[in-house]
């Protein structure tokens, strides 16, 4: 057998055994691309590992949630819910009435205090009338005695002028007149200090103390009555109503929940990234659901590791933990993305 080696024919891709083949070049290119593809598939895990390693050394992308601080409106006094002025997802402003309560107990206490105050005034007024009448009678008697002593004193002075009486007879009359005048002035002072229902300062000390106690109780009742009208502590959005009209609520019972208007972004970072990446004030990129990137800054870490939220767990194990990190956007987010619990991405 004679073997012939001819390299010239092998160099021509359009000939095979001396015959011209039109699809030869395309076929050889297809074989070459197939080998490149196989090589790429075999090397892809290594390339992905290298890419992940380099990217992790340069930057880290972590899941995050838009979070509005939640607030609860608590009942400060016991009573029945009379009306609810808002619905879930209504916007409220600070000072706006949201819930009104009704307390029969407070109303009874208020009426009882007013009745006690009125009875106390009537008691003082009646006592003052009795004392005033008695003093007026005594003053009237003393006034009559004083008039008699003055008349007697004038008669004695006339007799002394005529020489029919001596000065010694006039001195006892004058002394008795002075004593009556002093007693009369004392009774008139007592009459001016007689307690009157409309002048508390004129009341006896014991009644003034009782009056002050009743006024203090009335002020407490009025303060608690004002607390029956619940208003929003700050601007926000009502997220959940926890009571119904007619329901009795005790002190500290949550009436409704609402979120504030100042949002925060909470990023969940693996503990291994904390030391080298999360200094306060560090600038980060906030990746919105539509892919837009916004500048943000790290403000603080919560300081305690916790499990990832359910939306971010892989489902392969229960040990996934992360440290919540508070991120503040440099500029306000568009209104469409200002949604509580909206998932985002944060790139460090």
């Amino acid at each position: 057998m004679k073997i012939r080696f001819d390299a010239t024919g092998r160099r021509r891709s359009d000939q095979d055994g001396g015959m011209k083949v039109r699809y030869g070049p395309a076929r050889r290119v297809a074989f070459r691309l197939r080998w490149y593809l196989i090589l790429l598939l075999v090397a892809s895990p290594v390339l992905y590992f290298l890419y992940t390693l380099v990217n992790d050394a340069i930057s880290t992308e972590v899941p995050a949630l838009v979070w509005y601080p939640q607030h609860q409106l608590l009942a400060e006094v016991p009573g029945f819910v009379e009306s609810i002025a808002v619905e879930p997802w209504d916007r409220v402003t600070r000072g706006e009435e949201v819930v009104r309560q009704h307390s029969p107990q407070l109303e009874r206490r208020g009426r009882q205090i007013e009745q006690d105050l009125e009875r106390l005034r009537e008691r003082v007024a009646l006592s003052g009338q009795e004392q005033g009448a008695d003093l007026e009678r005594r003053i009237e008697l003393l006034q009559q005695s004083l008039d008699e002593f003055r008349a007697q004193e004038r008669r004695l002075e006339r007799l002394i002028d005529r020489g029919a009486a001596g000065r010694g007879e006039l001195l006892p009359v004058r002394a008795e007149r002075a004593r009556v005048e002093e007693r009369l002035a004392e009774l008139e002072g007592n009459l001016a200090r007689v307690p009157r229902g409309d002048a508390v300062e004129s009341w006896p000390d014991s009644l003034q103390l009782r009056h002050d106690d009743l006024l203090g109780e009335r002020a407490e009742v009025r303060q608690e009555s004002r607390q029956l009208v619940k208003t929003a502590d700050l601007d926000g959005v009502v997220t959940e109503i926890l009571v119904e009209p007619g329901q009795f609520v005790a002190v500290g019972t949550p009436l409704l929940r609402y979120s504030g208007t100042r949002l925060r972004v909470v990023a969940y970072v693996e503990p291994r990234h904390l030391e080298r990446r999360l200094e306060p004030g560090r600038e980060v990129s906030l990746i919105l659901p539509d892919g837009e990137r916004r500048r943000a800054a790290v403000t603080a870490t919560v300081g305690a590791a916790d499990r990832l939220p359910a939306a971010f767990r892989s489902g392969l194990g229960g040990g996934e933990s992360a440290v919540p990190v508070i991120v503040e956007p440099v500029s306000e987010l568009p209104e469409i993305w200002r949604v509580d619990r909206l998932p985002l991405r944060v790139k460090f």
Side-chain angles (χ1 to χ4, degrees):
M1 176 182 294
K2 186 176 182 180
I3 300 175
R4 180 182 177 184
F5 296 94
D6 188 358
T8 59
R10 301 179 63 88
R11 293 194 188 100
R12 299 179 62 89
S13 59
D14 58 346
Q15 291 186 3
D16 187 8
M19 299 181 61
K20 188 173 183 179
V21 181
R22 295 182 179 180
Y23 57 84
R27 188 177 182 184
R28 290 177 182 247
V29 172
F31 275 113
R32 188 180 299 112
L33 293 177
R34 186 184 304 171
W35 279 109
Y36 289 157
L37 180 60
I38 292 174
L39 182 60
L40 179 61
L41 291 176
V42 172
S44 59
V46 178
L47 296 176
Y48 179 76
F49 174 76
L50 293 176
Y51 169 77
T52 304
L53 188 63
V54 173
N55 186 64
D56 186 67
I58 299 174
S59 63
T60 302
E61 189 173 312
V62 298
L65 286 176
V66 175
W67 180 67
Y68 284 94
Q70 296 292 315
H71 304 271
Q72 284 188 341
L73 195 65
L74 305 180
E76 299 182 40
V77 292
F80 295 91
V81 177
E82 182 176 345
S83 62
I84 301 173
V86 293
E87 296 289 340
W89 311 117
D90 284 350
R91 289 188 177 273
V92 294
T93 57
R94 184 176 182 178
E96 179 181 350
E97 178 182 335
V98 291
V99 178
R100 181 180 290 269
Q101 294 176 246
H102 169 69
S103 176
Q105 181 181 0
L106 276 182
E107 292 181 357
R108 287 194 298 269
R109 280 186 60 193
R111 288 194 298 267
Q112 184 64 43
I113 291 172
E114 294 297 337
Q115 291 173 3
D116 291 345
L117 284 171
E118 186 62 28
R119 282 196 293 267
L120 189 60
R121 295 190 189 97
E122 292 176 355
R123 175 184 172 185
V124 172
L126 181 61
S127 175
Q129 290 174 2
E130 294 176 353
Q131 293 182 26
D134 181 63
L135 288 172
E136 287 175 355
R137 285 193 300 269
R138 294 167 64 182
I139 289 173
E140 183 179 358
L141 292 175
L142 285 176
Q143 188 67 45
Q144 293 175 0
S145 298
L146 181 61
D147 292 341
E148 292 176 359
F149 280 119
R150 286 174 176 172
Q152 186 178 359
E153 185 177 0
R154 285 193 297 271
R155 285 195 302 269
L156 286 173
E157 287 177 349
R158 286 195 297 268
L159 291 175
I160 291 173
D161 293 339
R162 295 174 184 174
R167 291 284 180 183
E169 298 179 15
L170 182 61
L171 293 178
V173 176
R174 285 183 174 177
E176 190 65 23
R177 176 182 59 79
R179 188 187 65 80
V180 172
E181 288 179 346
E182 182 180 355
R183 180 58 179 166
L184 183 61
E186 180 182 352
L187 291 181
E188 288 176 348
N190 292 339
L191 180 62
R193 292 189 296 271
V194 168
R196 302 189 305 274
D198 57 347
V200 180
E201 63 276 3
S202 65
W203 295 8
D205 293 342
S206 59
L207 296 182
Q208 287 190 34
L209 291 175
R210 177 56 180 163
H211 182 265
D212 293 342
D213 291 341
L214 290 174
L215 289 182
E217 293 180 13
R218 184 174 68 176
E220 292 179 1
V221 169
R222 289 180 176 177
Q223 175 65 23
E224 292 181 2
S225 298
R226 286 192 291 268
Q227 293 174 349
L228 291 173
V229 180
K230 301 299 297 180
T231 59
D233 298 330
L234 44 78
D235 298 344
V237 177
V238 177
T239 57
E240 185 177 5
I241 296 177
L242 305 174
V243 293
E244 298 177 352
Q247 177 181 342
F248 179 81
V249 293
V251 177
T253 302
L255 302 176
L256 55 83
R257 293 191 182 97
Y258 62 102
S259 62
T261 56
R262 181 184 177 185
L263 65 82
R264 291 181 177 178
V265 177
V266 182
Y268 296 90
V269 184
E270 295 180 21
R272 62 191 178 94
H273 295 307
L274 290 177
E275 182 177 357
R276 62 192 181 101
R277 297 191 185 280
L278 298 180
E279 304 86 0
R282 177 188 176 90
E283 289 194 2
V284 298
S285 294
L286 193 61
I287 305 175
L288 302 181
D290 62 353
E292 181 185 357
R293 293 175 180 258
R294 292 267 181 153
R295 292 176 57 199
V298 175
T299 58
T301 60
V302 174
D306 199 359
R307 293 190 65 191
L308 281 171
F312 298 141
R313 295 175 196 163
S314 64
L316 300 178
E320 296 178 346
S321 63
V323 175
V325 176
I326 308 300
V327 176
E328 293 282 351
V330 174
S331 58
E332 290 189 0
L333 296 182
E335 186 67 24
I336 190 174
W337 304 127
R338 299 174 66 87
V339 180
D340 192 30
R341 304 294 176 179
L342 179 70
L344 306 174
R345 304 289 295 180
V346 173
K347 188 171 184 178
F348 295 92

